[in-house]
C-alpha cells in the first residue's frame, strides 16, 4: 500500500506542490531531448538515403567533438579547428563510402548494420590513439557559445536556464529546418528521397549512389559535430558519451527510422520522461534508472505499436 | 511414397467452403463477398486478372489473413479466425508465388522442415540426438527421400536452395508442402516464370499428387492452357469479386470472364 | 585427395545423418580433443590461465549468441547481461547451498539466465530486426543496473563484487584461490565440449531446422506449422542458458571474482563480433571467432612492442588497447566485405580445396 502510494500519488503531489522544480526538470528533459533528437537525426539521414542503420552515429558525435578539441589543444585557433573538423568529417564520409559502403552494396541490411559496428570500434580506437583517452573540456567559449545562465522567477521559485542550453535548442531547430528545406526543395534532396525508396530505380534514372552516400554521411557528420559540441559543452568530451549516444536508439524506435519529425518528437519524449522518471520515481528504487528507462519505454511502446509513432502500419505480404 | 487411403472418393463431398468472405485493408477492399467450395479430391483453379485477390484468397484460407466478414468451413469446422500454424495442423499446405524457401538450408533440410509437425520427440531427446530422436529422424528421412525421388531432385539433395535455379526451387517448395502430407494443397502460381518443359514437368507432378495421393488441390495459375487441362472446376475472380464458377468449359464461354480477360467492346 | 569421401558408403539413414559423416572429420575432431586435454601436461599455466580458459569461455558465450543470432536470426545486444545473470545466479546458488556441487551450481545458473532470456525474448514475436536489437539493449542496461543496485545479488557485500568461494570436486579444489589453472582448465574444457556436443545435436535436429526456418523466412515457417513464439522463445532460452553458463565460468573459473562492469555492453559487442567474424550459423565458427578476437590482441600485445622498440617508439598498454579496437573494427569490415559468412566459410572452402587437391575443381 505504501509502495503504491509512493509510486502512484506521491510524485504527483510533489509536482503540484513545487511547480518550479517540475518546470526545471521538464526544461532539463527537453534540452536532453533536443540533443537526443540531434543524434537520432544523424541516424535518420543515413537510414533514409542508404537503408543503413548506422550504429556508428553515436561514435561519430564523440569523434567529431574530440577532433575539434584535440586540434585546438594542438594549438590550432578555435574557428580554424572547427573548419578543419568539418573537413575531417568530409574525409570520413568519403572513406566510409569507398571502403565500407561501396564494396557492400546489395548486401542484406543486417550485414551493413554489422559493418557499422566495425566502424564504431575502429573510430573508438583511432580517436583514442590520436587524441588520447582522457576526458577533455569543450572549447565552448572560444566558439562564441554563450555562457552563464538566467534565473527566472516562476511559481514562487527560481528556475535556472543555462544559456548554452538555449543556444543548443535554437541551433538544433535551425539545423532541422535547414535539413527539411534541403530534403524537400533541392535537386539533391529529391535524389536522396529517390535513393531511399529504391537503390536500383534511382540508379536507373542516373542518380549516382556514391555521391548521394557521401553527401548524407557528410551531413550526418556535421549533425554529429553540432551534437558533439553541444553535449561537450554540458559535460566533458570523452568516449563515455557513446553510452549516452546509444540513447538515440530508443528515440528512433519511438519516432520511426525514417521520419525527421519522428526523431524530434521521440527525442523530446525520451528526454522528458527520463528526467521526470529519474527525479520523481528514481529514488524509490535506488536511483540511476536513467540508464535503462529510455529503453524500457521504447520496448513497451514497440509492443503496442511496432511501426513507431509516425510509421505506417505494416501489411505483411507473401 | 505410399499412397494415402481411398485415392478415389466417389461422392465428392465438400472439403472446404468459403462463404461470403470479404477482406479489407483500411479502405482497400481485396475481396468482396466471395463464396465457393472445394470438393474432396478435385483440382480447383482460381483465376483472374492481376490484382483480382487470388493470393489474398489463399492467404485467408490458410489463416495468414483474417477475413473481415464471412466464414471458412474446413472439414466441417466453421471458423472466422485461425492462426496459420493451426491451418497447417489441420492439413493445409501451400506454395508461394515468390518462392518462400528457407534459403540458407539444403534441399533435404527444407523438406525435412515440412515434417516438423509430425515429429514429436521433445527437447530432451533432441539434446541427446540418440535413441528415439534419431529413430524418429531416420523414419522421417525415409519419407523425405521418397518425396525427393518422386520429384526427381536427388542430385540437389545437399545443395543450399538459395543457389538453385528458379524451376528447381519451385519443385523443392512443392516437396516441402508434400512433406506435410496435406489434405488440401494450395499452389500459388506453381508455373510462373517457367519454360515449357518445366511447365510440363510441374503439371505432371500436380496430376500425380492429385491422382496417386488423392490430395485436393487449389491452384492459382495464369497459363490458361494449363488451367483448362488440369482443373476440374474453375472459379474466376475480378476486383475481389467472384464473376464465374464452373467447369473449364463453362467458364471459358462465360461472357463476364471473356470481358475480364479480353476487355469489353464499347 | 587428402580429404577423401569416396568409398565411404552409408547404409542407413542414421549413419548418413551423423554430424560428422566423414571419417577424416571424426579423426580430426578426436585429435583436437586429445590435444586440448594434453595441454594440461605442458605445465604452462600462463597458456592455460590467460589464453585457453578465456578462449573456451568466450567460445561458449559465442555459441550461445550464435544459436540466437546465427541460427534463429534474432539479433541480440544483451549477451553481456545474460552472462552476468548466470554469474550472479551461480554466486547466489553456491553461497546459499555451500554443500551443493559447484558443477551443478554452474549448470543450474544457466537456467536462471534462460528464464530472464525468455522474459526479454517475449517482445520478439512482434519486433524484428534492428528494433529487436534495441529491445535487447533494454535487457543489457536494465540487468546491469540490477547488478549495481540490488545488494541482495552480492549478499550485501560492501565492495559490490562477487567472489568465487573455495569449492572442490572429488576433493580437488576447482574454484577459488587455491585451484590450479590445470584443474580449472580441465573443468572448463569438459563442460565446453559437453555443451557444444549438445548444441550441435540441437541444431542438427527438428529444433535447429525450425530455428533456421524462422531465420530464413518466418512467414513460410509459420505456414508449415512452426509456432513462431514458441520457437523464438526456445532459442532465447537455450541461447541465454549458454551465455549464463559462460558467465558463471568466466567469474568462477577464470577471474575468480567480478564486478558488474565485467558484463557491460562492450562485452556484448565483443561476443557479437566473435560470432560475426567466426560465421553466423556455425558452431565451429564460434570457436574460430573467439580465437581471433580474443587471442589476436594477446599476440599484438606481445609482438607490437618487439617490432616497434628498435625504432625507438615506446608502446604502452593503452596504445595496444587502442590498436586492438582499431584492428577488431577493421577486421569486422574486412570480413563482411570479403566473406560475410565468416571464418567458418573459409574453413569449408579450404576443406573443399583439400578434397579435390591437386585439381582446382
Amino acid at each position: 500500500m505504501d509502495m503504491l502510494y509512493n509510486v502512484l500519488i506521491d510524485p504527483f503531489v510533489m509536482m503540484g506542490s513545487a511547480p518550479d522544480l517540475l518546470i526545471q526538470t521538464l526544461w532539463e528533459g527537453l534540452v536532453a531531448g533536443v540533443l537526443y533528437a540531434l543524434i537520432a537525426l544523424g541516424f535518420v539521414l543515413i537510414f533514409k538515403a542508404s537503408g543503413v542503420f548506422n550504429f556508428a552515429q553515436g561514435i561519430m558525435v564523440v569523434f567529431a567533438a574530440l577532433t575539434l578539441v584535440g586540434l585546438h589543444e594542438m594549438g590550432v585557433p578555435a574557428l580554424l579547428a572547427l573548419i578543419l573538423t568539418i573537413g575531417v568529417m568530409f574525409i570520413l564520409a568519403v572513406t566510409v563510402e569507398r571502403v565500407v559502403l561501396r564494396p557492400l552494396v546489395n548486401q542484406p541490411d543486417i550485414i551493413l548494420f554489422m559493418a557499422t559496428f566495425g566502424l564504431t570500434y575502429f573510430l573508438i580506437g583511432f580517436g583514442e590513439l590520436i587524441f588520447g583517452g582522457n576526458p577533455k573540456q569543450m572549447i565552448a567559449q572560444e566558439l562564441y557559445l554563450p555562457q552563464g545562465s538566467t534565473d527566472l522567477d516562476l511559481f514562487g521559485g527560481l528556475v535556472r536556464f543555462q544559456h548554452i542550453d538555449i543556444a543548443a535548442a535554437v541551433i538544433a531547430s535551425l539545423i532541422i529546418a535547414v535539413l527539411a528545406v534541403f530534403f524537400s526543395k533541392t535537386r539533391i534532396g529529391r535524389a536522396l528521397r529517390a535513393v531511399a525508396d529504391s537503390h536500383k530505380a534511382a540508379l536507373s534514372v542516373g542518380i549516382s549512389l556514391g555521391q548521394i552516400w557521401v553527401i548524407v554521411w557528410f551531413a550526418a557528420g556535421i549533425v554529429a559535430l553540432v551534437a558533439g559540441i553541444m553535449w561537450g559543452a554540458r559535460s566533458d568530451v570523452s568516449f563515455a558519451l557513446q553510452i549516452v549516444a546509444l540513447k538515440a536508439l530508443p528515440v528512433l524506435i519511438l519516432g520511426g527510422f525514417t521520419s525527421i519529425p519522428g526523431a524530434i518528437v521521440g527525442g523530446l519524449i525520451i528526454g522528458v520522461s527520463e528526467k521526470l522518471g529519474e527525479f520523481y520515481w528514481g529514488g524509490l528504487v535506488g536511483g540511476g534508472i536513467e540508464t535503462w528507462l529510455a529503453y524500457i519505454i521504447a520496448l513497451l511502446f514497440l509492443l503496442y505499436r511496432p511501426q513507431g509513432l509516425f510509421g505506417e502500419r505494416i501489411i505483411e505480404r507473401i | 511414397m505410399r499412397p494415402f487411403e481411398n485415392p478415389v472418393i466417389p461422392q465428392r463431398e465438400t472439403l472446404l467452403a468459403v462463404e461470403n468472405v470479404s477482406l479489407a485493408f483500411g479502405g482497400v477492399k481485396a475481396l468482396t463477398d466471395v463464396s465457393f467450395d472445394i470438393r474432396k479430391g478435385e483440382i480447383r483453379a482460381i483465376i483472374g486478372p492481376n490484382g483480382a485477390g487470388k493470393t489474398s484468397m489463399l492467404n485467408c484460407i490458410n489463416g495468414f489473413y483474417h477475413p473481415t466478414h464471412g466464414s471458412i468451413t474446413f472439414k466441417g469446422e466453421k471458423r472466422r479466425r485461425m492462426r496459420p500454424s493451426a491451418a497447417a495442423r489441420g492439413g493445409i499446405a501451400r506454395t508461394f508465388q515468390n518462392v518462400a524457401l528457407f534459403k540458407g538450408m539444403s534441399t533435404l533440410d527444407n523438406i525435412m522442415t515440412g515434417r516438423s509437425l509430425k515429429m514429436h520427440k521433445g527437447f530432451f531427446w533432441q539434446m541427446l540426438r540418440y535413441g528415439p530422436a534419431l529413430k524418429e529422424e531416420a523414419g522421417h528421412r525415409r519419407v523425405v527421400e521418397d518425396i525427393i525421388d518422386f520429384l526427381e531432385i536427388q542430385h540437389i539433395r545437399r545443395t543450399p536452395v538459395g543457389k538453385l535455379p528458379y524451376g528447381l526451387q519451385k519443385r523443392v517448395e512443392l516437396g516441402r508442402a508434400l512433406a506435410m502430407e496435406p489434405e488440401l494443397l494450395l499452389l500459388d502460381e506453381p508455373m510462373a516464370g517457367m519454360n515449357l518443359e518445366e511447365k510440363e514437368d510441374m503439371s505432371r507432378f500436380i496430376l500425380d499428387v492429385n491422382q496417386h495421393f488423392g490430395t485436393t488441390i487449389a491452384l492459382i495459375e495464369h497459363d490458361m492452357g494449363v488451367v483448362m487441362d488440369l482443373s476440374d472446376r474453375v472459379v474466376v475472380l475480378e476486383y475481389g469479386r467472384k464473376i464465374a464458377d464452373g467447369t473449364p468449359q463453362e467458364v471459358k464461354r462465360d461472357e463476364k470472364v471473356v470481358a475480364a480477360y479480353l476487355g469489353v467492346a464499347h | 585427395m587428402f580429404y577423401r569421401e569416396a568409398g565411404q558408403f552409408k547404409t542407413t539413414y542414421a549413419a548418413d545423418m551423423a554430424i560428422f559423416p566423414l571419417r577424416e572429420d571424426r579423426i580430426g575432431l578426436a585429435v583436437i580433443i586429445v590435444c586440448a586435454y594434453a595441454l594440461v601436461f605442458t605445465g604452462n599455466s600462463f597458456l592455460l590461465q590467460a589464453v585457453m580458459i578465456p578462449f573456451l569461455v568466450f567460445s561458449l558465450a559465442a555459441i550461445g549468441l550464435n544459436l540466437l543470432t546465427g541460427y534463429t536470426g534474432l539479433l541480440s545486444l544483451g549477451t553481456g547481461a545474460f552472462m552476468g545473470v548466470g554469474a550472479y545466479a551461480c554466486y547466489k546458488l553456491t553461497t546459499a547451498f555451500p554443500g551443493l556441487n559447484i558443477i551443478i551450481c554452474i549448470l543450474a545458473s544457466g537456467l536462471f539466465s534462460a528464464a530472464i532470456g525468455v522474459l526479454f525474448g517475449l517482445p520478439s514475436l512482434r519486433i524484428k530486426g534492428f528494433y529487436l536489437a534495441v529491445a535487447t539493449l533494454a535487457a543489457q542496461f536494465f540487468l546491469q543496473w540490477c547488478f549495481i543496485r540490488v545488494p541482495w545479488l552480492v549478499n550485501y557485500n560492501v565492495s559490490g563484487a562477487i567472489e568465487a568461494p573455495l569449492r572442490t570436486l572429488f576433493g580437488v579444489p576447482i574454484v577459488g584461490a587455491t585451484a590450479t589453472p590445470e584443474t580449472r582448465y580441465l573443468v572448463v574444457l569438459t563442460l565446453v565440449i559437453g555443451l557444444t556436443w549438445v548444441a550441435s545435436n540441437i541444431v542438427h535436429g527438428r529444433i535447429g531446422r525450425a530455428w533456421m526456418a524462422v531465420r530464413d523466412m518466418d512467414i513460410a515457417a509459420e505456414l508449415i506449422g512452426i509456432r513462431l513464439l514458441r520457437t523464438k522463445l526456445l532459442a532465447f532460452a537455450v541461447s541465454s542458458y549458454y551465455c549464463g553458463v559462460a558467465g558463471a565460468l568466466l567469474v568462477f573459473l577464470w577471474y575468480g571474482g567480478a564486478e558488474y562492469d565485467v558484463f557491460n555492453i562492450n562485452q556484448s559487442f565483443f561476443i557479437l563480433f566473435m560470432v560475426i567474424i567466426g560465421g553466423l550459423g556455425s558452431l565451429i565458427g564460434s570457436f574460430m571467432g573467439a580465437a581471433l578476437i580474443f587471442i589476436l590482441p594477446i599476440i599484438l600485445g606481445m609482438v607490437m612492442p618487439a617490432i616497434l622498440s628498435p625504432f625507438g617508439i615506446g608502446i604502452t598498454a593503452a596504445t595496444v588497447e587502442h590498436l586492438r579496437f582499431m584492428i577488431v573494427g577493421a577486421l569486422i569490415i574486412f570480413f563482411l566485405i570479403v566473406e560475410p559468412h565468416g571464418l567458418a566459410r573459409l574453413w569449408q572452402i579450404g576443406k573443399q580445396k583439400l578434397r579435390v587437391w591437386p585439381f582446382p575443381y
Side-chain angles (χ1 to χ4, degrees):
Chain A
M1 207 56 221
D2 236 21
M3 190 66 200
L4 275 183
Y5 175 80
N6 283 338
V7 172
L8 294 178
I9 302 178
D10 193 42
F12 296 101
V13 174
M14 247 166 84
M15 286 180 202
S17 60
D20 51 326
L21 271 181
L22 177 62
I23 291 185
Q24 184 77 58
T25 315
L26 279 176
W27 168 249
E28 307 244 312
L30 282 175
V31 174
V34 166
L35 290 169
Y36 291 152
L38 261 186
I39 301 173
L41 195 62
F43 277 99
V44 170
L45 277 178
I46 291 177
F47 192 81
K48 259 175 103 90
S50 54
V52 177
F53 188 92
N54 178 26
F55 193 81
Q57 184 68 27
I59 228 55
M60 280 165 65
V61 171
V62 183
F63 185 73
L66 206 59
T67 310
L68 178 64
V69 179
L71 284 173
H72 187 67
E73 273 182 2
M74 291 174 191
V76 183
L79 287 181
L80 184 62
L82 186 64
I83 294 168
L84 284 178
T85 308
I86 294 176
V88 169
M89 295 322 277
F90 182 71
I91 294 170
L92 179 67
V94 174
T95 318
V96 166
E97 196 273 325
R98 285 283 152 79
V99 180
V100 184
L101 295 181
R102 193 178 291 181
L104 285 175
V105 75
N106 273 338
Q107 291 282 1
D109 292 349
I110 203 81
I111 299 277
L112 282 155
F113 177 50
M114 304 233 183
T116 64
F117 269 107
L119 185 63
T120 306
Y121 270 70
F122 186 82
L123 283 181
I124 292 177
F126 188 65
E128 290 197 334
L129 190 66
I130 293 185
F131 302 112
N134 305 326
K136 296 182 196 307
Q137 284 285 311
M138 178 41 75
I139 45 169
Q141 210 163 359
E142 290 84 341
L143 290 170
Y144 307 107
L145 288 172
Q147 308 282 304
S149 60
T150 307
D151 291 346
L152 286 185
D153 197 4
L154 292 170
F155 302 105
L158 284 181
V159 181
R160 172 160 294 186
F161 294 96
Q162 298 280 351
H163 289 168
I164 184 79
D165 291 348
I166 300 173
V170 171
I171 293 176
S173 324
L174 275 178
I175 287 198
I176 289 159
V178 168
L179 283 173
V181 171
F182 178 73
F183 260 94
S184 56
K185 303 285 182 212
T186 64
R187 190 178 61 85
I188 293 175
R190 268 198 305 279
L192 281 177
R193 280 181 291 153
V195 172
D197 270 355
S198 161
H199 288 183
K200 278 183 199 150
L203 275 173
S204 72
V205 294
I207 294 170
S208 154
L209 273 188
Q211 197 189 351
I212 293 294
W213 282 342
V214 170
I215 290 172
V216 285
W217 277 77
F218 182 43
I222 291 181
V223 172
L225 175 61
V226 174
I229 292 174
M230 293 305 165
W231 209 298
R234 289 161 55 86
S235 55
D236 287 330
V237 180
S238 77
F239 277 93
L241 264 185
Q242 64 158 315
I243 298 291
V244 181
L246 279 180
K247 294 248 180 79
L249 298 178
V251 169
L252 286 171
I253 283 198
L254 241 60
F257 285 137
T258 54
S259 160
I260 290 180
I264 297 161
V265 176
L268 296 181
I269 292 178
I270 291 283
V272 168
S273 44
E274 207 176 67
K275 292 282 184 239
L276 286 180
E278 177 69 48
F279 190 77
Y280 289 103
W281 284 274
L284 295 176
V285 287
I289 64 171
E290 257 184 299
T291 52
W292 51 265
L293 190 61
Y295 298 95
I296 300 286
I297 291 174
L299 184 60
L300 295 177
F301 181 80
L302 270 184
L303 289 179
Y304 169 68
R305 217 182 132 81
Q307 68 272 31
L309 271 176
F310 293 88
E312 280 174 29
R313 191 163 161 245
I314 311 151
I315 297 175
E316 285 190 276
R317 290 168 178 282
I318 190 149
Chain B
M1 209 164 150
R2 281 154 286 131
F4 303 146
E5 284 170 25
N6 298 332
V8 184
I9 297 105
Q11 70 272 55
R12 297 240 156 168
E13 59 197 283
T14 301
L15 180 67
L16 179 128
V18 176
E19 286 159 65
N20 309 101
V21 162
S22 300
L23 176 72
F25 298 107
V28 186
K29 284 192 175 145
L31 293 169
T32 316
D33 205 21
V34 179
S35 306
F36 64 92
D37 64 339
I38 298 174
R39 292 178 199 155
K40 224 171 213 171
E42 75 172 341
I43 298 184
R44 184 72 143 130
I46 303 174
I47 64 170
N50 284 328
K54 305 182 294 288
T55 299
S56 296
M57 191 66 242
L58 289 198
N59 285 343
C60 285
I61 292 177
N62 72 351
F64 185 58
Y65 290 162
H66 302 300
T68 21
H69 292 288
S71 64
I72 294 172
T73 313
F74 178 60
K75 290 198 288 188
E77 221 172 295
K78 193 169 181 162
R79 41 110 183 159
R80 271 283 294 283
R81 307 177 70 86
M82 169 162 68
R83 292 209 57 76
S85 53
R89 268 192 300 283
I92 303 180
R94 81 176 272 189
T95 67
F96 303 87
Q97 194 172 350
N98 311 310
V99 184
L101 285 168
F102 308 126
K103 294 229 159 36
M105 299 159 72
S106 66
T107 301
L108 195 58
D109 279 344
N110 264 280
I111 302 180
M112 279 296 274
T113 311
R115 301 293 296 176
S116 293
L117 275 179
K118 313 245 178 243
M119 302 178 79
H120 303 292
K121 289 289 168 284
F123 186 73
F124 175 73
W125 288 112
Q126 296 289 338
M127 266 171 33
L128 300 180
R129 197 183 164 82
Y130 186 75
L134 204 57
K135 213 162 147 192
E136 181 184 48
E137 186 106 351
H140 288 287
R141 173 75 185 271
R142 186 179 306 275
V143 179
V144 167
E145 289 291 345
D146 285 342
I147 293 172
I148 288 177
D149 285 348
F150 171 70
L151 293 172
E152 295 163 14
I153 46 178
Q154 297 91 336
H155 57 296
I156 53 165
R157 202 183 268 132
R158 303 214 181 257
T159 319
V161 292
K163 290 186 178 157
L164 295 175
Y166 183 73
L168 280 177
Q169 288 196 5
K170 282 271 189 193
R171 223 186 268 190
V172 175
E173 205 186 16
L174 178 63
R176 189 182 64 189
L178 287 179
M180 294 168 68
E181 293 179 19
E183 283 182 58
L184 174 62
L185 179 58
L186 311 173
L187 304 174
D188 195 345
E189 302 200 14
M191 289 160 227
M194 288 188 167
N195 62 29
L196 186 63
E197 199 187 333
E198 288 170 329
K199 275 185 188 178
E200 283 171 351
D201 281 348
M202 189 52 98
S203 305
R204 186 169 56 78
F205 291 136
I206 293 174
L207 283 174
D208 279 355
V209 168
N210 179 249
Q211 280 161 10
H212 275 87
F213 312 135
T215 309
T216 312
I217 295 176
L219 74 108
I220 295 176
E221 187 46 59
H222 275 297
D223 186 322
M224 280 309 126
V226 170
V227 169
M228 297 302 159
D229 289 348
L230 285 184
S231 53
D232 298 314
R233 291 189 304 151
V234 183
V235 56
V236 189
L237 299 180
E238 191 193 16
Y239 298 119
R241 290 171 192 278
K242 184 173 93 170
I243 56 170
D245 189 354
T247 63
Q249 278 67 32
E250 288 165 11
V251 166
K252 222 190 284 186
R253 284 191 298 270
D254 190 292
E255 275 173 28
K256 281 197 221 149
V257 177
V258 175
Y261 271 88
L262 301 176
V264 196
H266 289 289
Chain C
M1 180 64 196
F2 291 111
Y3 194 77
R4 212 182 252 281
E5 60 190 285
Q8 300 191 31
F9 298 109
K10 302 287 178 290
T11 48
T12 62
Y13 286 128
D16 192 44
M17 291 178 324
I19 287 158
F20 294 104
L22 290 188
R23 194 190 314 119
E24 279 81 355
D25 280 335
R26 288 195 296 271
I27 294 171
L29 185 73
V31 169
I32 289 174
I33 291 179
V34 168
C35 287
Y37 276 105
L39 276 182
V40 173
F41 301 111
T42 61
N44 184 343
S45 43
F46 170 80
L47 178 71
L48 296 181
Q49 165 68 21
V51 180
M52 288 312 289
I53 292 179
F55 158 67
L56 288 170
V57 168
F58 283 129
S59 300
L60 192 63
I63 287 176
L65 181 60
N66 217 335
L67 292 178
L68 188 66
T69 304
Y71 282 92
T72 323
L74 304 167
L75 185 56
S76 164
L77 301 178
T79 320
F82 292 131
M83 288 171 73
V85 173
Y88 280 86
C90 189
Y91 179 69
K92 288 302 289 185
L93 280 176
T94 190
T95 48
F97 309 102
L100 196 60
N101 187 314
I102 185 69
I103 302 290
I104 295 176
C105 284
I106 289 174
L107 290 176
S109 60
L111 297 176
F112 291 86
S113 159
I116 302 278
V118 168
L119 192 65
F120 280 95
L122 278 174
S124 67
L125 183 67
R126 294 201 64 179
I127 311 174
K128 289 174 187 168
F130 307 135
Y131 288 92
L132 185 66
V134 178
T136 58
L137 274 183
Q140 171 69 44
F141 287 110
F142 179 72
L143 291 172
Q144 208 186 331
W145 178 84
C146 289
F147 301 152
I148 304 172
R149 302 280 170 169
V150 184
W152 176 78
L153 285 175
V154 293
N155 288 344
Y156 304 96
N157 191 337
V158 197
S159 66
I162 52 175
E163 207 168 285
L166 184 69
R167 291 289 181 272
T168 57
L169 184 69
F170 308 127
V172 183
I174 57 169
V175 164
T178 50
T180 61
E182 281 81 5
T183 49
R184 280 184 284 135
Y185 173 69
L186 283 179
V187 172
V188 174
L189 182 64
T190 310
L191 282 176
V192 170
I193 289 177
L195 286 169
T196 308
W197 174 71
V198 169
S200 146
N201 286 341
I202 294 174
V203 300
H204 283 91
R206 167 177 65 88
I207 295 172
R209 281 193 300 270
W211 284 346
M212 290 187 275
V214 169
R215 169 194 70 191
D216 286 347
M217 181 78 67
D218 55 349
I219 296 172
E222 197 180 8
L223 293 180
I224 60 172
I226 292 172
R227 283 184 216 150
L228 290 188
L229 185 62
R230 201 189 268 195
T231 309
K232 286 179 179 180
L233 289 185
L234 185 62
F236 263 101
V238 177
S239 159
S240 307
Y241 179 86
Y242 276 77
C243 293
V245 171
L249 290 179
L250 182 138
V251 172
F252 283 75
L253 290 149
W254 178 27
Y255 279 18
E259 283 179 49
Y260 68 93
D261 206 38
V262 172
F263 307 107
N264 64 12
I265 188 156
N266 280 328
Q267 193 72 272
S268 304
F269 287 157
F270 267 99
I271 308 286
L272 179 63
F273 296 159
M274 290 171 190
V275 172
I276 298 174
I277 291 187
L280 287 165
S282 158
L283 294 180
I284 191 163
S286 306
F287 284 94
M288 295 179 179
L292 194 74
I293 295 270
F294 180 76
I295 295 178
L296 183 83
I298 296 179
I299 297 174
L300 270 184
M302 293 195 288
V303 172
M304 292 289 275
I307 296 176
L308 293 179
S309 54
F311 302 100
I313 307 170
I315 198 158
T316 62
T319 316
V320 172
E321 181 67 15
H322 300 157
L323 282 172
R324 174 183 172 210
F325 268 72
M326 281 177 70
I327 290 172
V328 167
L331 269 180
I332 289 169
I333 297 174
F334 173 80
F335 268 102
L336 289 175
I337 292 172
V338 177
E339 185 49 75
H341 301 284
L343 292 169
R345 178 60 60 85
L346 292 179
W347 169 247
Q348 266 183 0
I349 295 172
K351 278 209 299 196
Q352 177 65 13
K353 288 252 156 43
L354 277 182
R355 198 167 71 86
V356 296
W357 196 86
F359 307 106
Y361 296 105

